[in-house]
Amino acid sequence: GGLCLHQVNEAKSEGRAKLIPSIKLRHCCLLRNQRCVTAYLYDRLLRIRALRWEYGSVLPANVRFHMCAEELQWFSQYKKSLASFMRSLGGNEGLDITQDMKPPKSLYIEVRCLKDHGEFEIDDGTVILLKKNSQHFLPRWKCEQLIRQGVLEHVVS
Amino acid sequence: MFIADIRKDFYEVVANQRVVLLVAPDIDALCACKILQALFHCDQIQYTLVPVTGWQELGTAFLEHKEQFRYFVLINCGANVDLLEMLQPDDDSIFFICDTHRPVDVVNVYNDTQIKLLIKQDDDLSVPSYDDIFRDEDEEGEDSGNESDEGSEPSGKRRRFDEGAVERRIERQRAKREWEARRREILFDYEQYEYHGTSAAMMFFELAWVLTKDTKDMLWWAIIGLTDQWVHDKITNMKYVTDIATMQRHVSRHNHRNEDEENSLSIDCMRISFEYDLRLTLYQHWSLYESIYNSCYTSCSFKLWTLNGQKKLQEFLADMGLPLKQVRQKFNSMDMSIKENLRDVIEESSNKYGMKDIRIQTFGVHFGFKNRFLASDMVHATAALLESAEKDDSETDNFIKALDALSRCAKETKFTLQRLNLLTFPLKMSSFFFLLFSLCRSNIDRLHSGIALAKKKLIAIQQTVASCICTNLILSQGPFLYCYLMEGTPDVKLFSKPMALTLLCKYLLKAFVHSTRNKRCKLLPLVMAAPKDVEKGTVIVVGIPPESETSDKKNFFGRAFEKAAESTSSRTLHDHFDTSIIELKTEDRSKFLDALITLLS
């Protein structure tokens, strides 16, 4: 707005009033481009926010590669915000609200191993060998992380 | 030992434990596995499922899991060998074996601590009694003790006692030799023939029924398991009919709720019905003509590899008044007027052409408007998936695909972040949670792809049979018939798999029996060899018993192959759970064959 007015005044004072429409047009174009870029950046921020919910607090390298420094900084601040919010819930221990985002139907789920992952320890100390194409019936909360990473697949039957 | 009460001695034992399921690659085992999985889901019994294709894989899987798991459930594997000797487990490992392979190894029967057989004690077993096979070592010890005591008697009486002692000793040794000879004979008779018992799927369904946790899905899987035994010729006709009757009782029990007019079930619910349906493989998913052409029963009765046979087929169709145009269409597109009485019309005409058993007792399922399947359709589709020869898929991939095809519901696949490079996505995507892509790929599609593969397999079998008969590839070797599929035969890769080769073998023998005039040859068993692995230079060899109406399906080739391999020191791999299927080095083929001929003459 300010720059546009300045250029219009300059044009008037130099006696080149017929440039005023082009100045105004160019200004509108610039404003539009600015809106587009802002919308794009905002959309990226929304996706980055969603990454925290879907993927957890550590992002894989190939995703971080596509983020600029400011976005990374925004992400870590969002993480901190979310963490302090979660700590404030549920009494002293806090509550991890990024778990179980869809109400779980059962305590245990059947999962299929999509790639060799080696040994995997579950809560009571038993070690399960995750070999490709083996199927296991395990507690849901232990599997969620691996399902997100693509090592396990939830089998619905 | 045999388990008396499957609920108390098996299910309640594993109820709070973690279990490893080791499952063999056949349809009956897959169905049994699905039933057991469903039960375990109900009661939240944690398990790990590992598919095993042979003894080596079984051993490896056991070694991998023995540290962490105490209970192992083996489905359709493990009963016919001395399992403890093979796996050398620790004393606290317990094995529950549900296996249709007979004869059950005597050590498995008489072991009280670690081997629990999920097999009914009267399931066609005729196990030798304990005393005939195992002799307590204590008897020996006592005798030698007495001998030394007697030896220290005063010299006057010594000679008399010595004579007595020596006589007794000779007598004992003679008795021992006799006992051992008798034992060898008994074991030889017991282990000579390999055959199959009641379906594993049916055993687990019975467990579900005893727990009153049986559902229609489980019932359907049990039916498929039973039908698999019939399709792959593992059980006699009599047994099949008896087991069908058992299943029919369960089906009626599950169906009586449908009869109520007011509370009729939704169309999407599963309905199982008893069908006295045609023996034409996959006919409802194919055209009637192709099904008649490619089904073993009709193809052999008409002798469709001859021109005469094909003419007869045309006559047969004309006799029934079915226009060729209709009959070559997809079955679902045939005129309703033709489909209405099809079964009776075909039965009547078949009787005229000498096919008395064109109809067979079986079951069908339908859910939704489009989905109707017969049990045999499911068996063929799943078997084709299990043994599909796609290059990229390992055997366990195929196992998983076949297992999925047995489920009914839609399967969800979440696309994880690694598969979608999100931050480079175009701007058009707007919604916030598009990250969670749910792709519904139905298991029914998997089943349909299985049916397509099964059709290809059947056509390949039919063509191979036709070419083998027409080029006289089946040779009589004296005590058996022999056929070798050469390297360049079309579809030979399909027949490097055991189930496909066994099916081909069965059809070929049936066709041969119909086409030959030689009365003696009709009573011979068939041995067939096909290239298995070109790089390793091996062939797969299969032997099946002779074809007859009243065949008891008992197969002696397991032992015969073992002996022939031993005597010629051929390089063989007896890795398959069916002992009548082995892998052999191509170079050793001729000497192995000669040994087999000598052995069986």
Side-chain angles (χ1 to χ4, degrees), chain B residues 136-151:
Chain B
D136 290 327
E137 290 305 309
D138 296 345
E139 291 173 17
E140 305 289 308
E142 254 179 59
D143 291 339
S144 48
N146 283 344
E147 278 173 25
S148 51
D149 283 345
E150 286 169 4

Side-chain angles (χ1 to χ4, degrees), chain B residues 165-411:
Chain B
V166 168
E167 266 177 37
R168 270 196 293 280
R169 192 157 18 116
I170 294 177
E171 179 59 37
R172 267 195 304 276
Q173 281 176 350
R174 192 183 64 79
K176 185 175 171 205
R177 271 196 302 275
E178 246 182 50
W179 181 85
E180 281 185 352
R182 217 172 130 246
R183 173 181 185 271
R184 268 196 301 274
E185 209 185 291
I186 290 179
L187 278 180
F188 179 77
D189 284 337
Y190 178 61
E191 294 175 351
Q192 187 182 28
Y193 288 96
E194 176 190 60
Y195 56 103
H196 287 268
T198 309
S199 148
M202 279 178 61
M203 277 306 296
F204 283 123
F205 179 74
E206 202 177 299
L207 169 64
W209 179 44
V210 163
L211 297 167
T212 55
K213 290 183 175 146
D214 58 323
T215 61
K216 277 203 185 142
D217 280 296
M218 293 188 199
L219 178 56
W220 181 235
W221 288 326
I223 291 172
I224 298 176
L226 170 62
T227 313
D228 169 57
Q229 290 195 310
W230 177 73
V231 166
H232 290 103
D233 217 23
K234 291 184 176 161
I235 53 174
T236 61
N237 272 330
M238 187 71 102
K239 179 144 180 62
Y240 176 70
V241 170
T242 319
D243 287 344
I244 285 277
T246 317
M247 290 284 105
Q248 166 64 342
R249 287 197 284 275
H250 290 293
V251 169
S252 324
R253 179 172 55 89
H254 276 267
N255 276 345
H256 84 273
R257 282 188 300 151
N258 296 0
E259 313 271 307
D260 201 339
E261 279 294 317
E262 294 158 12
N263 306 323
S264 58
L265 289 175
S266 125
I267 197 76
D268 280 330
C269 288
M270 183 189 230
R271 287 178 176 79
I272 305 178
S273 51
F274 177 79
E275 309 276 346
Y276 188 42
D277 213 331
L278 300 168
R279 229 188 206 187
L280 302 172
T281 328
L282 294 174
Y283 80 94
Q284 289 174 2
H285 304 275
W286 219 346
S287 71
L288 192 59
Y289 184 82
E290 293 213 56
S291 180
I292 297 180
Y293 200 87
N294 290 307
S295 296
C296 173
Y297 186 69
T298 40
S299 163
C300 294
S301 307
F302 284 124
K303 301 212 246 291
L304 287 175
W305 51 87
T306 59
L307 271 174
N308 214 4
Q310 296 185 9
K311 273 197 220 144
K312 257 176 134 183
L313 174 60
Q314 310 282 9
E315 271 176 39
F316 174 70
L317 293 169
D319 184 61
M320 291 192 286
L322 299 174
L324 261 180
K325 214 171 152 205
Q326 285 291 327
V327 148
R328 280 191 193 267
Q329 272 198 74
K330 270 188 75 167
F331 186 78
N332 286 329
S333 321
M334 270 172 69
D335 272 350
M336 274 311 289
S337 57
I338 300 182
K339 280 199 277 189
E340 259 165 19
N341 277 326
L342 191 63
R343 293 185 207 173
D344 297 317
V345 163
I346 291 190
E347 190 175 13
E348 220 182 284
S349 286
S350 307
N351 278 326
K352 286 190 220 161
Y353 283 80
M355 295 187 284
K356 307 279 179 198
D357 302 310
I358 191 83
R359 286 172 86 162
I360 188 87
Q361 298 178 1
T362 184
F363 293 93
V365 73
H366 87 263
F367 46 93
F369 288 102
K370 281 202 292 182
N371 304 306
R372 290 195 61 208
F373 301 99
L374 288 177
S376 55
D377 298 343
M378 301 285 305
V379 170
H380 282 283
T382 340
L385 281 173
L386 193 59
E387 292 193 330
S388 81
E390 305 285 318
K391 280 183 223 128
D392 298 334
D393 293 335
S394 72
E395 283 172 335
T396 39
D397 283 323
N398 288 339
F399 183 94
I400 299 291
K401 286 197 184 137
L403 206 62
D404 278 345
L406 288 171
S407 307
R408 264 194 309 139
C409 55
K411 191 172 102 157

Side-chain angles (χ1 to χ4, degrees), chain A residues 44 47 49-51 54-55 108 110 112 122 124 126-127 129 131 133-137 148-149, chain B residues 18 37 41 44-49 64 68 396-397 400 404 416-417 422 425 429 432 435-436:
Chain A
R44 281 179 73 97
R47 292 176 196 211
R49 182 172 78 172
L51 284 177
E54 167 59 14
Y55 219 68
Y108 293 87
E110 181 164 358
R112 176 175 301 161
I122 49 182
D124 64 359
T126 315
V127 174
L129 180 67
K131 211 170 170 191
N133 283 331
S134 59
Q135 286 191 200
H136 310 268
F137 190 58
R148 286 201 193 123
Q149 286 171 18
Chain B
R18 285 204 178 74
Q37 279 182 297
H41 287 192
Q44 296 180 339
I45 298 174
Q46 295 178 54
Y47 64 87
T48 293
L49 167 63
E64 283 172 353
Q68 297 298 329
T396 39
D397 283 323
I400 299 291
D404 278 345
T416 60
L417 282 176
L422 284 165
F425 237 60
M429 298 298 287
F432 185 88
L435 287 162
L436 287 173

